[in-house]
């Protein structure tokens, strides 16, 4: 029980460093500014659901990227044929460009020059390079297409370039502390604190702003279009204009664009300026084409097609039309920031108003403190003065968790607060295990130091096994989750790791020092409130068939509820629109339902939640663009009904995102179960693993039935709750199994049934105490947490009860049935062996 001085110093430094890292969160930013330079100033970053703001996920339009590249290949191939004066045709067929050159001699030269159009790109590691264009020649046909490495390289370039342009465009809006980062292979995450109406920003980010200047083709109306000419819609009138595909002057030569007014008509317009090269080209084009129309094209639409009346040599121009002042501000910002290389589609949007975020923070703090206080009181009631060591460890657990979140720059979300609160309940588990083990050793007659030594030693392996299973669940939740769910997983993983340090290392040193300073010969860890009497000897296995039978019936009923009425899938899985609005008393649900029904957006459901109304609109046909357009219509309609209606929160999830979330959620649950099965099999035996996984299936089906019975939203938060329940359930079973394994090794002559009953009675107090503390930690959040967390807190309370009861009445009986079956099988094999020898 001795601790070396350097270990003690290391532990002390870790604790002081963690507390110092957590300390800035007590102060306001203004107070931190007045602190000395050595004082840490990094605070936990609050998520948008706590401080309000907008969350957008943009995806690169890969099809448009391919189409644009193929279109340029067609133009380059045609230009090459003209240059070489070779007879032939160029056309696009699917995702390839087909060049037909009948003359063999000319074709050989064309093939060589087409190869020069290719660019070498990296293909994996080790410096390997391949061409970005694959070319094949057969007969008089030459086929050009993207190589996989070439498309991947072009996509990476487009994402990197888009990141910078998006950052510049956001700066034009003036949002403070934006978060803009790449997510995955083809997505960009944009988080904007304080911006709770991202309509204009969505338009700003979703527009490519590819402006170019083209000559208008001289085409007879109704006649067949010649090669290299396309019909483009005109922005003002909607009529089509025949425009040459060849870009006369690219928008990349623009140096500035400003919103302004026409001096004569006072109409809003945008004035632009070219760089030196652009001004020279613009002057040459306007000099050579006086009297001809010249089209200004932005994102595939003709803004205007004025006739060139005289050469323009000053390098400046104007775009006018049916613009509002806001239109010219957005257009000028787009042009200043530069053109996106490829369209970006808003596939997910979530906004939270600052008022709602403030209420959530207050609720999280209050429920967190209430849960912590309940656990502290309960631990003192259980272990008296010894419980104070556990409470000190809990305080350190929370403080060090916050400190680590600050150091990592992690974002704290509402599910993250729930993760910290749940971590408090789970952290108590290790302290209860240790205290119960110490109490057993002390009652067996061990001295004070021997009781501490054996108690910590025997509890250690159980604590490790229980926490590793929980880490498996939360680790997979982090890998397959997104947004706030990942925040929950991070706080849970940090909390689990910190609890092992505080419970095993810190509490051990404190208890040892207390015994040494007080010179105690023996230890008495007696509870102030005795829930489970000493010497309890309940024959749990007598009710094994009743317990398994009841569990199967409840699970079958849950499966029935899953089929009908089914789960109330949230928009995370279904896709669609969800708007939470605060409405004046004068606005009725009937009025809202009637007006929103006129929008022809499909199924619209309204639900009263306190003083607010939750509006859900089904997923729109037409992809993510239709989704974002529908949310704008809902917002505009609410404002038209009553300007006093406030938009507290908006969520828009496209069909692609919802499909991915559903798939990842299922994968996370399945992989978590399999990973924990493998771990238990490795740490125990095959029959323990099968017993645990069978019980997990029963526990999971009951939890799903709970969601269906009470109509709770089944969304990402629900998946987090489900995985946490799975982890908690296995955690509970590992503790019971660990005592069974210990007793099996110590009691070779006892039958399995009596060993299982003995083991359950020995850990009964621990199971009930841990469940009670976890229940108490989550109870305030379930009562006062509101709609935002009820999908997590309520199932967790149910899961705690189910996990504890199943450890005793389901997992243990299954283990007994498997053990008896294996014993009978071995006895039958042993009896059959002599008979086989006599027959031989």
């Amino acid at each position: 029980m001795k601790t070396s001085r350097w270990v003690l110093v290391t532990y002390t430094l870790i604790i002081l460093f963690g507390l110092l890292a957590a300390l800035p969160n007590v102060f306001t930013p203004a107070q931190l500014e007045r602190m000395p330079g050595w004082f840490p100033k990094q605070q936990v970053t609050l998520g948008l659901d706590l401080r309000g703001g907008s969350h957008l996920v943009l995806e690169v339009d890969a099809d448009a990227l391919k189409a644009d590249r193929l279109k340029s290949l067609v133009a380059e191939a045609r230009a090459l044929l003209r240059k070489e004066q070779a007879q032939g045709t160029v056309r696009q067929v699917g995702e390839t460009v087909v060049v037909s050159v009948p003359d063999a001699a000319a074709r050989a030269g064309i093939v060589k020059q087409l190869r020069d159009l290719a660019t070498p790109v990296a293909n994996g590691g080790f410096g390997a390079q391949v061409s970005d264009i694959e070319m094949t020649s057969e007969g008089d046909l030459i086929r050009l297409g993207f190589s996989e490495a070439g498309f991947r390289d072009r996509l990476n370039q487009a994402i990197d370039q888009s990141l910078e342009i998006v950052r510049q465009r956001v700066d034009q809006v003036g949002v403070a502390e934006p978060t803009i980062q790449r997510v995955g292979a083809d997505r960009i995450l944009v988080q904007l604190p304080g911006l709770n109406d991202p309509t204009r920003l969505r338009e700003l980010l979703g527009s490519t702003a590819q402006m170019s200047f083209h000559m208008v083709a001289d085409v007879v109306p109704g006649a067949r279009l010649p090669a290299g000419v396309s019909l483009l819609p005109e922005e003002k009138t909607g009529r089509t204009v025949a425009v040459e595909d060849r870009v006369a002057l690219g928008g990349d030569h623009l140096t500035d664009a400003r919103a302004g007014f026409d001096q004569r008509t006072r109409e809003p317009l945008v004035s632009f300026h070219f760089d030196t090269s652009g001004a020279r080209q613009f002057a040459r084009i306007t000099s050579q084409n006086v009297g001809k129309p010249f089209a200004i094209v932005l994102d595939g639409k003709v803004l205007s097609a004025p006739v060139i009346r005289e050469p323009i040599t000053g390098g400046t121009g104007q775009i006018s039309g049916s613009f509002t002042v806001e239109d010219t501000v957005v257009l000028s910002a787009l042009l200043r920031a530069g053109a996106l290389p490829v369209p970006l589609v808003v596939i997910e949007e979530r906004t939270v108003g600052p008022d709602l975020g403030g209420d959530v923070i207050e609720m999280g703090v209050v429920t967190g403190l209430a849960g912590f206080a309940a656990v502290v009181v309960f631990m003192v009631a259980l272990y008296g003065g010894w419980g104070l060591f556990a409470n000190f460890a809990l305080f350190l657990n929370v403080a060090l968790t916050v400190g680590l979140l600050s150091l990592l720059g992690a974002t704290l979300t509402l599910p993250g607060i729930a993760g910290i609160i749940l971590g408090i309940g789970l952290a108590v588990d290790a302290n209860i295990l240790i205290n119960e083990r110490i109490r057993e050793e002390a009652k067996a007659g061990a001295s004070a130091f021997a009781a501490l030594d054996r108690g910590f030693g025997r509890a250690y392996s159980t604590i490790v096994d229980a926490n590793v299973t929980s880490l498996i669940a939360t680790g997979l939740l982090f890998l397959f989750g997104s947004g706030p769910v990942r925040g929950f997983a991070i706080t849970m993983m940090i909390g689990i790791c910190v609890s092992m340090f505080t419970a095993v290392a810190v509490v051990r040193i404190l208890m040892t020092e207390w015994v040494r300073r007080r010179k105690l010969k023996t230890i008495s860890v007696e509870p102030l409130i005795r829930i489970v009497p000493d010497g309890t000897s309940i024959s749990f296995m007598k009710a094994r068939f009743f317990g398994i039978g009841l569990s199967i019936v409840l699970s079958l009923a849950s499966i029935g509820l899953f089929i009908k009425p089914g789960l109330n899938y949230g928009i995370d899985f279904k896709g669609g629109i969800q708007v939470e609005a605060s409405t004046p008393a004068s606005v009725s649900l009937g009025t809202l339902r009637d007006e929103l029904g006129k929008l022809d957006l499909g199924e619209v459901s309204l639900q009263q939640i306190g003083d607010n109304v939750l509006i859900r609109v089904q997923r729109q046909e037409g992809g993510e663009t239709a989704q974002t357009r529908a949310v704008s219509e809902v917002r505009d309609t609410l404002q038209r009904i009553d300007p006093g209606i406030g938009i507290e929160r908006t969520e828009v999830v496209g069909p692609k995102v919802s499909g991915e979330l559903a798939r990842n959620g299922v994968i996370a649950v399945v992989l978590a179960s399999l990973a924990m099965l493998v771990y238990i099999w490795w740490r125990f035996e095959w029959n323990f693993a099968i017993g645990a996984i069978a019980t997990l299936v029963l526990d999971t089906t009951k939890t799903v039935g709970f969601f269906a019975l009470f109509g709770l939203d089944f969304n990402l938060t629900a998946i987090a709750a489900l995985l946490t329940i799975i982890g908690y359930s296995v955690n509970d079973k590992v503790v019971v199994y660990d005592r069974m394994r210990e007793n099996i090794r110590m009691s070779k002559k006892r039958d399995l049934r009596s060993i299982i009953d003995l083991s359950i009675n020995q850990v009964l107090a621990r199971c009930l105490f841990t469940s009670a503390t976890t229940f108490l930690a989550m109870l305030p959040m379930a009562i006062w947490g509101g709609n935002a967390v009820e999908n997590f807190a309520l199932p967790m309370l149910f899961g705690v009860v189910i996990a504890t009861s199943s450890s005793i009445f389901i997992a243990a009986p299954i283990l007994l049935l498997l053990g008896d079956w294996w014993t009978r099988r071995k006895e039958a094999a042993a009896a059959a062996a002599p008979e086989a020898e006599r027959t031989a």
Side-chain angles (χ1 to χ4, degrees), residues 359-413:
D359 292 343
V360 168
I361 294 176
E362 183 180 353
M363 175 278 302
V365 172
V366 170
T367 55
L369 290 175
F372 186 84
V375 171
V376 166
V377 171
F378 188 68
M379 289 301 292
V380 172
L382 285 181
Y383 300 113
W386 294 99
L388 294 176
F389 292 114
N391 288 334
F392 178 71
L394 285 183
F395 167 76
L396 279 184
N397 182 278
V398 175
L400 294 181
T401 299
V402 173
L404 276 173
L405 289 173
S406 299
L407 288 174
L408 294 173
T411 300
L412 183 63
T413 60

Side-chain angles (χ1 to χ4, degrees), residues 27-35 41 43:
F27 302 100
T28 65
Q31 291 172 328
L32 284 176
E33 289 297 325
R34 295 195 294 270
M35 293 293 179
K41 296 180 174 59
Q43 293 180 306

Side-chain angles (χ1 to χ4, degrees), residues 287-303:
S287 298
Q288 295 175 355
N289 294 280
V290 173
K292 295 180 181 180
F294 192 50
I296 303 172
V297 179
L298 178 70
D299 290 345
K301 292 183 179 181
V302 178
L303 292 179

